[in-house]
Amino acid sequence: MIVTPLIRAALCPIRRWKIILFRDYILPKRNARKYHGTIVNAIIGSISIALENTLNINQLKTDATVDPFTYCYNRRTLDSLITSDIFYARQYSTALSVIMIDVDNCKKINDVHGHYAGDAVLKDIRTLLPSLVRKSDYLARDGGEAFVLVLPDTTLYSSIRLAEKLRKKIEMHETRLSDKSIRVTASFGVASFENKPDGGSLLWEADERLYKAKEIGKNCIVPHL
């Protein structure tokens, strides 16, 4: 097939978005005419608009479910997911546990080193946690310095052992800043599904135990092993 330079330019456009780059080809079966370029460009324009709208919709969905600072699930998404997990655990008599994690003395870190240091600590902890959990587990930010780790099919004893691994990993980690490095600790409240009526009561119990961990000295887990 003979394709004129005008048509060739129309047939091989490069389309760019934030993270997408592709080349699309539309080849007529018969010899190309000049008006084919107009048709092709119209088709490509329609495809471009449709793809861009799809990307915008997906971005809106992400913004509605994810905390923009840590890229964990937000509290609204957590409430929805854990309600489903509670239903599944009750329906099929499976285990379900949650670990609530709160960075110790975060206000002091902000006061001494600046808010950028506190932000760096939270982001570091966000990257540390997934290395010790399964793909089926999920993490949410509960506001401020608190995270919630939800563990489907996990008993209370297993979740406490995991919490201890996480506690040690956070304690040993150094957050590196431009001119210094700092270490932090975290407190943990662990709760397990025991015929809880809803997700809120399970989270409430974990939060109560986290408060107790803060009260008895921080850098610890309640309940204990």
Side-chain angles (χ1 to χ4, degrees), residues 17-131:
W17 282 275
K18 290 180 181 178
I19 56 172
I20 296 177
L21 173 66
F22 71 92
R23 184 186 301 270
D24 45 9
Y25 294 87
I26 301 176
L27 301 176
K29 293 182 179 180
R30 55 184 179 146
N31 289 345
R33 307 290 183 184
K34 287 186 177 181
Y35 67 86
H36 287 154
T38 302
I39 296 172
V40 169
N41 283 331
I43 294 172
I44 290 172
S46 298
I47 293 173
S48 299
I49 292 170
L51 285 174
E52 191 162 7
N53 288 339
T54 300
L55 290 173
N56 289 337
I57 291 170
N58 289 337
Q59 185 62 51
L60 288 173
K61 288 180 180 178
T62 299
D63 292 343
T65 59
V66 173
D67 171 58
F69 181 71
T70 60
Y71 299 104
C72 304
Y73 286 128
N74 58 28
R75 179 57 192 253
R76 179 182 176 183
T77 306
L78 169 65
D79 289 340
S80 175
L81 291 175
I82 201 167
T83 299
S84 298
D85 288 333
I86 286 280
F87 176 82
Y88 183 90
R90 183 185 293 112
Q91 190 80 4
Y92 298 100
S93 300
T94 59
L96 173 66
S97 297
V98 298
I99 301 175
M100 194 163 284
I101 308 157
D102 192 83
V103 180
D104 296 328
N105 305 314
C106 203
K107 183 179 184 303
K108 183 178 179 181
I109 293 170
N110 289 333
D111 291 343
V112 174
H113 303 286
H115 284 277
Y116 74 96
D119 292 346
V121 166
L122 291 179
K123 288 181 178 179
D124 263 12
I125 290 177
R126 165 65 182 90
T127 58
L128 286 175
L129 298 181
S131 63

Side-chain angles (χ1 to χ4, degrees), residues 73-207:
Y73 286 128
N74 58 28
R75 179 57 192 253
R76 179 182 176 183
T77 306
L78 169 65
D79 289 340
S80 175
L81 291 175
I82 201 167
T83 299
S84 298
D85 288 333
I86 286 280
F87 176 82
Y88 183 90
R90 183 185 293 112
Q91 190 80 4
Y92 298 100
S93 300
T94 59
L96 173 66
S97 297
V98 298
I99 301 175
M100 194 163 284
I101 308 157
D102 192 83
V103 180
D104 296 328
N105 305 314
C106 203
K107 183 179 184 303
K108 183 178 179 181
I109 293 170
N110 289 333
D111 291 343
V112 174
H113 303 286
H115 284 277
Y116 74 96
D119 292 346
V121 166
L122 291 179
K123 288 181 178 179
D124 263 12
I125 290 177
R126 165 65 182 90
T127 58
L128 286 175
L129 298 181
S131 63
L132 292 177
V133 302
R134 307 161 303 178
K135 290 183 178 179
S136 58
D137 306 328
Y138 57 91
L139 186 67
R141 188 181 182 193
D142 194 34
E145 301 82 44
F147 296 91
V148 179
L149 181 60
V150 182
L151 309 167
D153 298 314
T154 306
T155 63
L156 179 64
Y157 179 75
S158 296
S159 60
I160 293 171
R161 292 184 63 184
L162 173 60
E164 177 61 15
K165 292 179 181 178
L166 295 172
R167 187 194 67 79
K168 289 180 178 178
K169 193 174 185 70
I170 292 171
E171 184 180 38
M172 296 293 293
H173 179 73
E174 287 188 355
T175 296
R176 299 189 179 277
L177 308 175
S178 58
D179 57 344
K180 69 191 85 171
S181 62
I182 57 177
R183 285 190 175 184
V184 299
T185 60
S187 300
F188 296 76
V190 185
S192 184
F193 171 74
E194 295 173 359
N195 202 30
K196 299 291 186 300
D198 54 47
S201 61
L202 182 59
L203 295 174
W204 177 86
E205 185 176 323
D207 188 57

